[in-house]
Amino acid sequence: MINPKITDTVEKLQTASRNIPTVWDGRNSILEMKEGGSTQWKQMEWMGFYFEFLCETHFNGIIDMPGKKYGNTIFDAFQEISWDFKAHAANTTRHDVVTNDVEAIKNTLDNYGHYGLILAIGEVEYNDEKRTFKKWHDELKEGISKYETNRINRGAMSRRRKTEFVLSEIHFICLDNETLDQCSSLYHQGRNSNGRPRPPKFNVNIQKIPDGALVATEDF
């Protein structure tokens, strides 16, 4: 059973979420993060970081940001339980959301009984064939990243960039050990630059999240 204090927090978050903009233009979002002091404006996957940026703005005073730290893992927020902010494209064949470090989530579940996800869902637009968005972003960064350099050296293809996100709903989800087991699997991240394997994360299939874990949904 979800603690009434968590439900009260969700009600406040849901009310605050109604002021979140629904159309996220990639260029404008990146510039807004850059001008707003975010350290993540250079990231290729700007959509998720922009949602974090919006949450930090609109949820200020309701939840503490950043959240609790377990080892090297810091959750996005804390209020009664640990929370993470995630954004996901609805117009895709994949329905998995990579959340956070397995051990950190297990520890926060042991401490507080639930783990919270604030999940934004919407449709995305991708870059055109000439990759103008990527070129614009590279110019803004004044060069390509080390990650991009390594990709080129490996001969791997460049992923298409998301250029716009249209928000349709935000889900407020509280998972306990049982419901997390029902909708998650392990996601192995590969290796760090020092060659050591990165710790696995929980991969949550949003189509398998039990109804009892969905505390509220705000539709746009």
Side-chain angles (χ1 to χ4, degrees):
M1 183 176 179
I2 297 175
N3 188 315
K5 290 183 178 180
I6 299 175
T7 304
D8 181 61
T9 296
V10 169
E11 288 177 358
K12 294 175 182 176
L13 292 169
Q14 184 178 9
T15 299
S17 73
R18 292 167 188 158
N19 294 317
I20 289 177
T22 56
V23 179
W24 308 350
D25 174 79
R27 287 177 172 83
N28 291 340
S29 299
I30 288 168
L31 290 173
E32 186 179 345
M33 284 192 286
K34 183 175 185 288
E35 293 166 4
S38 170
T39 60
Q40 305 296 345
W41 64 270
K42 293 183 179 181
Q43 297 288 344
M44 178 181 73
E45 294 294 340
W46 61 269
M47 186 179 82
F49 291 107
Y50 184 61
F51 183 54
E52 290 180 16
F53 179 79
L54 291 173
C55 289
E56 289 168 1
T57 300
H58 292 275
F59 297 157
N60 185 35
I62 302 174
I63 49 180
D64 295 329
M65 298 171 284
K68 301 287 186 181
K69 183 177 181 180
Y70 292 85
N72 293 324
T73 299
I74 303 175
F75 289 96
D76 290 334
F78 182 86
Q79 184 62 40
E80 308 301 335
I81 60 174
S82 294
W83 296 89
D84 277 326
F85 311 136
K86 298 293 176 181
H88 182 71
N91 52 330
T92 179
T93 57
R94 297 185 61 183
H95 302 289
D96 297 324
V97 175
V98 179
T99 58
N100 222 325
D101 178 83
V102 167
E103 287 303 315
I105 291 177
K106 286 181 177 179
N107 286 333
T108 202
L109 282 169
D110 287 343
N111 292 156
Y112 304 105
H114 285 85
Y115 162 61
L117 283 175
I118 300 176
L119 177 62
I121 303 289
E123 295 209 351
V124 299
E125 292 286 341
Y126 287 91
N127 194 14
D128 58 25
E129 292 181 0
K130 295 183 179 180
R131 309 279 174 134
T132 55
F133 180 80
K134 179 184 182 304
K135 292 175 183 176
W136 170 85
H137 200 192
D138 287 342
E139 289 175 2
L140 186 67
K141 293 185 291 186
E142 298 181 346
I144 62 176
S145 66
K146 182 179 179 181
Y147 174 89
E148 181 78 354
T149 301
N150 290 338
R151 178 196 64 77
I152 294 170
N153 291 337
R154 294 196 313 270
M157 292 183 63
S158 175
R159 285 185 287 172
R160 290 191 304 161
R161 302 299 197 267
K162 300 176 181 73
T163 58
E164 184 182 79
F165 178 87
V166 180
L167 179 65
S168 59
E169 55 205 71
I170 296 179
H171 299 292
F172 300 87
I173 301 158
C174 289
L175 298 163
D176 58 17
N177 280 301
E178 181 180 354
T179 52
L180 181 62
D181 284 344
Q182 293 173 20
C183 63
S184 70
S185 59
L186 293 184
Y187 177 80
H188 296 280
Q189 303 183 81
R191 296 182 179 274
N192 288 312
S193 57
N194 60 10
R196 294 181 179 178
R198 294 179 180 177
K201 293 186 175 184
F202 274 120
N203 201 29
V204 171
N205 186 321
I206 61 177
Q207 292 187 324
K208 294 182 179 180
I209 295 173
D211 291 342
L214 182 60
V215 183
T217 295
E218 183 64 27
D219 294 314
F220 294 86

